[in-house]
Amino acid sequence: MAPAPEATLTLHCHGVVQGVGFRPCVHRLATALDLCGVVDNHSGAVVVQLSGCRSALERFLEILPRELPAPARLESLQPHWGPPPAPGCDPRGIRLGHQPPHWLKESLFAPALAADQAPCRACLAELNEPANRRHGYPFISCSACGPRYSIATAEPYARAHTTLAGFPLCQACQREFDDPSDRRFHAETTGCPTCGPRLAFWPADGSQPTEDSGRGCQGTSGAIAAAVAVLRRGGILALQGVGGFQLLVDATDPAALQRLRQRKQRPHKPFALLVDSASWIEPLVQLTPAERAVLESAAAPIVLLRRHGGRRAHASGRQEPALPEAVAPGSPCLGVMLPASPLHHLLAAAFGKPLVATSGNRSGEPLCIAPPEAVDRLAGIADAFLVHNRPIVRPLDDSVLQLIEGRPVLLRRGRGYAPEALPITATPPMAIGEVRLALGGDLKCAPALARDGQVWLAPHLGDLDNPRQSRRLRQAAAEMVSVRPASKVPPLTLLCDSHPDYRSHQIAADLVATASPGQGLAESVRLCPVPHHLAHGLAVVAEHGLAACLEQAPLLLLVCDGLGLGVGSGSEPASGSAPAAPLWGCELLLLEAGGPAIDPAAKPGLHPAGKPARNPAEPLLRWRRLASLRPFPLPGGDRASAEPRRAALGLLAAAGPAALAHSGGAACRAAFTAADWHLLVQAIAGGCNSPRCSSLGRLFDAVASLLDLCQVLSYEGQGGLQLQGRASELREEDPGAVQPAYPLPLRPAPQAAGLPLGWLDWQPLLEALLKELPLQACPGAGAVQAARFHRAVIAGLVAMAEAAAPGWGCQRVVLAGGCFQNRLLLEGCRTGLRAAGLEPFSAELLPSNDGGLALGQLWALSCAMATTESKPPHRVQNAHVPGPAWSHPLDHPPAACGGAGGAP
């Protein structure tokens, strides 16, 4: 009988394949099939080279995708077949290895690495088993769980390329690491109390610390006990978590919560809860099976869960929840997370009650990641520190998501998700070897990288008005430019927001301007500014692979956010020679193919339908603005973004003298001194520092002011969140629950506005609202008005899309922009669009806010208005710049609300 034919199989495995037990899985499958070869971690891939019987290799190819470990994700394989090794040259068995390191330095991207994972069930069982040698060990992990990206110093993934390189394995751990039958076979982050990292408790007053001696876990239990004692006394504990420090307090202690808010300078923004089991919060929130599954997933994100009923005592007899209002004042949801590490498990279980867990920083600053840094920067905030000696090198904020129609929707992408590639169905059209780096926006900055047919979104970086975050972005982008080889450089495109005063725009422009011609970089690095709202819409188009549908029908992009620079001249002229900057924020855009596809069978120059064939130089996509919200002034310019009272005043002034004098505007009027009110009204009338905007976010702020929910913001989005929270208090059985929406009609706009479908006119809404104000001081006051306002906005947005769809032949509508973080708004629009026969799409894998902007920027090169070569920009009059609302040189910091309005 002739011997079975033999061969060599080579696979370049891409996806989530490093740090997830993929190589041990390959080893197990290949060994069972009597194959031999090498499985190496490379930068961005795992290379598998196996030899043996051809039929066994084919069987391996068949079963590998079905046998992947839970955290792994494997992209489609392209097998390369070759002859068997020469006699005597074939390796025996399966060898696991890795390539030399590529040091990550300041990089925000690590294509080869997996996200950090919460402890798996097997590790948790060992953690809680008294007879296990890792019982109570706060750094237990295996090949399926534990830290990954946060401790990585280099690619590809290997213990020597992490901060665990300084912790040699003991004999017992080494035996497990080398044993193919052990679940810790090649588990690069493994360790135990004998050889692994250690825990320490440091009192803030400098008294004697409690440290792990390394003999068992007595030191660990002592440190945790000391930390729990601080929490039970109402103290603030700084905990060194997975991606940085967190500040923890007893969530049931109102005094402790107030101290944390005062010290952290975070007066109102909701806190997240840390509980060791979902059972703790079930009495407080509506927890669906899908929400529980996400809460208990390996990513361990913060999940926004809807509260049970109202948060205040109502006539219907509803009661206050067990948690103090100070946990999440005004919010319709509670943010909840389960332990993301064994240390979190031990601490939460030992404390036995819900904890508030918030970022370890002062508000607006980046995370602390090293114990000495935390002791310095958190001085005066933390009463004690629970730290360890496993360094963190990549700061990571906790991811935040909510479920919409049963599907997870990310609001912040960080720990548990980054740095893994986005699992999108299509990448932007690119030349071979081309690389694109998009820097995103200045708020919630999260850059994106496209190359080799994949897209990576960097973890949430934060707001660039903080020098540390801005410097980190600049260094990371500069590293990508500088490390490129001098010869045969693939083209690099830096994409950024089109606003010339955005820090991200300036960083990109500086890098292009300083690219050295002598190094051959000047011709291979180019700048591409992208309109803000186009990028928002394209991000959702990219996520859902909708560009492929454009040959059949155009898309409608409904983009609603706070503010962003529009395109073209404003609808009203401004004084001075510089053009007015249109401030957009509620826009209906049309996205269509650049022209008919070229059909080789058609007559020359003609499409089969008789239309001209597309010129190859023509852009793949075109877009235009169809409709908007009627503009209204923002007195004080950018200060109005931080003061809802100013947005409300602008709305009242634009509506006319009757609205300004109406008693329904009493709450807004009381937020100013009489002199400031008069001065700002004059400024609006004279067009002085009062740019007009079409922002839905500012309309939400204005209504929040009129309902006296919020006059001056202490965090971004506070007005809209509190308005959503008040509307969410209304139950179906409550009086007024069935009242109709306020009127928000779609009306023709002046020809100069360039809006073929017109704009949503907010004036009827305002007039109807003013008639119901001021509200009587009673429980639940304002819930009906807030709910009717939400219904009005939903009806108006759906009406815009419904009016556009027939004329342009559209069936699909994209919902994009930060306003769609509002659950009531998003769910209402999706329901309304379906009722109108349209198919809605919204962000899920990435945030709808500016945290997802970079993905849309990557796609914008396909659009006509995003491909213009950038020139040195002139300053744009009345432009919006994110960051501190008083950043304009003529403005002063806003005074606290309550009559002392400060300078206009």
Side-chain angles (χ1 to χ4, degrees):
M1 181 176 179
E6 295 195 346
T8 296
L9 172 66
T10 302
L11 300 172
H12 286 77
C13 303
H14 296 274
V16 183
V17 290
Q18 296 192 25
V20 291
F22 179 75
R23 288 184 304 155
C25 172
V26 171
H27 187 287
R28 175 175 56 84
L29 297 176
T31 301
L33 292 168
D34 198 26
L35 302 173
C36 57
V38 177
V39 185
D40 275 352
N41 278 346
H42 286 234
S43 183
V46 172
V47 177
V48 178
Q49 190 169 45
L50 300 176
S51 301
C53 176
R54 172 81 185 221
S55 60
L57 291 169
E58 291 173 346
R59 175 64 177 161
F60 173 83
L61 263 180
E62 177 188 346
I63 64 176
L64 176 61
R66 300 200 304 262
E67 298 291 331
L68 294 176
R73 188 180 76 248
L74 182 62
E75 295 179 8
S76 58
L77 296 171
Q78 295 182 337
H80 298 273
W81 296 95
C89 297
D90 55 321
R92 296 294 178 220
I94 304 295
R95 180 182 66 79
L96 305 189
H98 60 81
Q99 292 296 298
H102 166 69
W103 302 107
L104 292 173
K105 299 179 183 178
E106 299 294 332
S107 178
L108 296 170
F109 304 99
L113 301 181
D116 301 78
Q117 303 285 295
C120 65
R121 292 187 178 184
C123 283
L124 286 178
E126 292 179 352
L127 184 72
N128 295 316
E129 172 53 57
N132 192 281
R133 70 187 185 95
R134 292 185 175 90
H135 170 63
Y137 181 55
F139 308 102
I140 189 172
S141 72
C142 67
S143 60
C145 70
R148 298 294 190 264
Y149 176 71
S150 62
I151 62 171
T153 56
E155 296 181 293
Y157 179 65
R159 187 180 184 89
H161 303 163
T162 72
T163 57
L164 286 168
F167 296 88
L169 296 177
C170 64
Q171 289 185 356
C173 288
Q174 190 66 53
R175 280 196 301 271
E176 294 171 338
F177 187 89
D178 295 335
D179 182 359
S181 66
D182 195 282
R183 72 184 191 88
R184 289 192 171 87
F185 177 51
H186 273 266
E188 307 290 349
T189 59
T190 192
C192 72
T194 301
C195 62
R198 302 175 186 175
L199 197 64
F201 173 82
W202 294 354
D205 60 10
S207 57
Q208 183 65 33
T210 301
E211 304 214 16
D212 190 333
S213 65
R215 295 188 297 271
C217 287
Q218 293 84 359
T220 292
S221 59
I224 289 176
V228 168
V230 169
L231 293 167
R232 287 180 176 157
R233 291 195 303 267
I236 300 171
L237 178 71
L239 170 70
Q240 188 176 357
V242 177
F245 274 80
Q246 296 169 307
L247 293 170
L248 275 59
V249 297
D250 181 353
T252 66
D253 186 339
L257 290 167
Q258 188 60 33
R259 278 192 296 274
L260 177 59
R261 289 198 176 279
Q262 289 174 345
R263 294 183 189 179
K264 187 175 164 65
Q265 301 168 22
R266 182 170 166 163
H268 305 111
K269 190 174 183 179
F271 287 135
L273 294 174
L274 169 65
V275 294
D276 74 330
S277 168
S279 61
W280 272 109
I281 44 89
E282 281 183 303
L284 302 173
V285 298
Q286 304 172 44
L287 184 63
T288 67
E291 287 169 331
R292 180 187 288 273
V294 174
L295 198 61
E296 296 175 347
S297 69
I302 297 171
V303 183
L304 300 187
L305 303 173
R306 288 165 289 184
R307 299 178 190 247
H308 276 310
R311 298 183 308 280
R312 302 173 175 81
H314 285 255
S316 59
R318 286 177 250 151
Q319 299 298 314
E320 280 278 351
L323 293 177
E325 179 70 8
V327 170
S331 173
C333 299
L334 290 175
V336 181
M337 61 178 161
L338 296 182
S341 73
L343 176 55
H344 285 89
H345 270 280
L346 294 171
L347 184 62
F351 186 66
K353 290 190 294 183
L355 289 162
V356 154
T358 187
S359 54
N361 54 9
R362 296 184 190 273
S363 289
E365 294 185 357
L367 285 173
C368 300
I369 60 173
E373 175 195 15
V375 169
D376 177 46
R377 290 176 50 202
L378 299 180
I381 300 179
D383 296 311
F385 299 82
L386 190 59
V387 302
H388 54 76
N389 62 342
R390 184 187 69 201
I392 299 168
V393 291
R394 315 233 159 253
L396 283 170
D397 282 283
D398 296 316
S399 295
V400 182
L401 61 78
Q402 62 182 343
L403 270 76
I404 301 295
E405 299 177 348
R407 296 178 62 85
V409 173
L410 275 167
L411 303 178
R412 183 172 72 197
R413 190 173 187 270
R415 178 191 50 75
Y417 295 89
E420 294 174 7
L422 290 173
I424 57 179
T425 57
T427 53
M430 296 170 63
I432 296 176
E434 183 184 357
V435 179
R436 295 181 188 175
L437 175 63
L439 300 190
D442 279 17
L443 300 178
K444 301 176 177 64
C445 180
L449 172 69
R451 80 173 188 215
D452 301 330
Q454 289 188 295
V455 173
W456 293 267
L457 187 69
H460 171 82
L461 185 60
D463 297 347
L464 298 185
D465 63 287
N466 184 279
R468 287 188 177 95
Q469 274 105 325
S470 182
R471 184 165 54 250
R472 187 178 175 209
L473 176 65
R474 182 180 292 273
Q475 290 171 344
E479 182 181 335
M480 285 202 65
V481 173
S482 64
V483 299
R484 303 172 67 72
S487 60
K488 301 179 70 174
V489 180
L492 171 66
T493 303
L494 286 174
L495 300 108
C496 60
D497 196 277
S498 60
H499 198 306
D501 289 338
Y502 270 32
R503 290 174 178 85
S504 51
H505 181 112
Q506 294 167 355
I507 289 170
D510 289 348
L511 290 173
V512 172
T514 56
S516 170
Q519 295 177 338
L521 295 175
E523 295 78 18
S524 62
V525 181
R526 59 173 175 157
L527 178 67
C528 181
V530 180
H532 187 87
H533 296 87
L534 175 64
H536 267 311
L538 287 178
V540 180
V541 171
E543 177 183 337
H544 292 281
L546 298 177
C549 307
L550 288 171
E551 290 291 350
Q552 286 74 46
L555 289 171
L556 293 175
L557 312 181
L558 193 48
V559 186
C560 302
D561 65 355
L563 274 181
L565 188 65
V567 174
S569 61
S571 59
E572 297 184 22
S575 59
S577 57
L583 300 182
W584 290 1
C586 181
E587 315 305 322
L588 182 66
L589 309 178
L590 178 74
L591 184 69
E592 56 187 342
I598 296 176
D599 186 342
K603 294 180 180 180
L606 286 180
H607 186 269
K611 299 178 182 178
R614 181 195 298 149
N615 186 327
E618 192 175 326
L620 296 176
L621 306 176
R622 302 186 295 216
W623 67 285
R624 62 176 299 192
R625 187 183 185 214
L626 300 181
S628 180
L629 183 71
R630 174 184 159 191
F632 60 94
L634 295 178
D638 202 47
R639 277 189 66 175
S641 295
E643 299 182 34
R645 58 183 181 172
R646 288 177 180 256
L649 174 55
L651 208 63
L652 293 169
L660 272 174
H662 200 287
S663 60
C668 172
R669 195 158 39 247
F672 296 95
T673 65
D676 286 346
W677 176 272
H678 179 69
L679 190 59
L680 285 170
V681 170
Q682 286 185 320
I684 294 170
C688 177
N689 197 22
S690 300
R692 295 182 177 268
C693 76
S694 57
S695 165
L696 184 59
R698 298 292 78 80
L699 183 64
F700 267 83
D701 279 354
V703 174
S705 168
L706 293 170
L707 294 181
D708 205 19
L709 299 177
C710 182
Q711 301 296 349
V712 175
L713 303 183
S714 68
Y715 63 91
E716 189 212 358
Q718 181 181 0
L721 181 64
Q722 294 199 336
L723 196 60
Q724 178 192 351
R726 187 58 56 89
S728 300
E729 293 176 2
L730 199 65
R731 288 186 170 185
E732 291 183 2
E733 64 270 21
D734 288 340
V738 295
Q739 289 194 27
Y742 291 126
L744 184 60
L746 181 63
R747 290 178 171 170
Q751 187 173 359
L755 299 171
L757 284 182
W759 57 34
L760 291 177
D761 188 357
W762 44 260
Q763 186 151 349
L765 181 156
L766 177 65
E767 291 170 350
L769 176 62
L770 290 175
K771 289 178 182 178
E772 299 181 5
L773 301 177
L775 297 167
Q776 294 180 351
C778 61
V784 171
Q785 289 73 23
R788 293 185 69 191
F789 170 74
H790 274 80
R791 293 171 194 155
V793 173
I794 291 166
L797 295 179
V798 171
M800 275 206 302
E802 196 172 8
W808 279 274
C810 304
Q811 292 94 39
R812 298 177 176 89
V813 182
V814 161
L815 303 173
C819 287
F820 289 110
Q821 295 174 109
N822 183 318
R823 184 198 299 268
L824 294 180
L825 182 65
L826 179 56
E827 290 182 337
C829 284
R830 290 178 66 91
T831 300
L833 289 168
R834 288 195 193 98
L838 300 172
E839 186 177 4
F841 294 87
S842 52
E844 296 178 9
L845 299 175
L846 69 165
S848 61
N849 57 43
D850 284 7
L853 206 62
L855 178 61
Q857 291 173 350
L858 290 177
W859 272 83
L861 284 182
S862 302
C863 292
M865 298 186 73
T867 55
T868 306
E869 189 73 18
S870 101
K871 307 288 185 189
H874 62 267
R875 303 290 290 187
V876 182
Q877 183 179 337
N878 289 337
H880 160 72
V881 183
W886 47 92
S887 58
H888 191 282
L890 300 180
D891 281 337
H892 304 283
C897 180

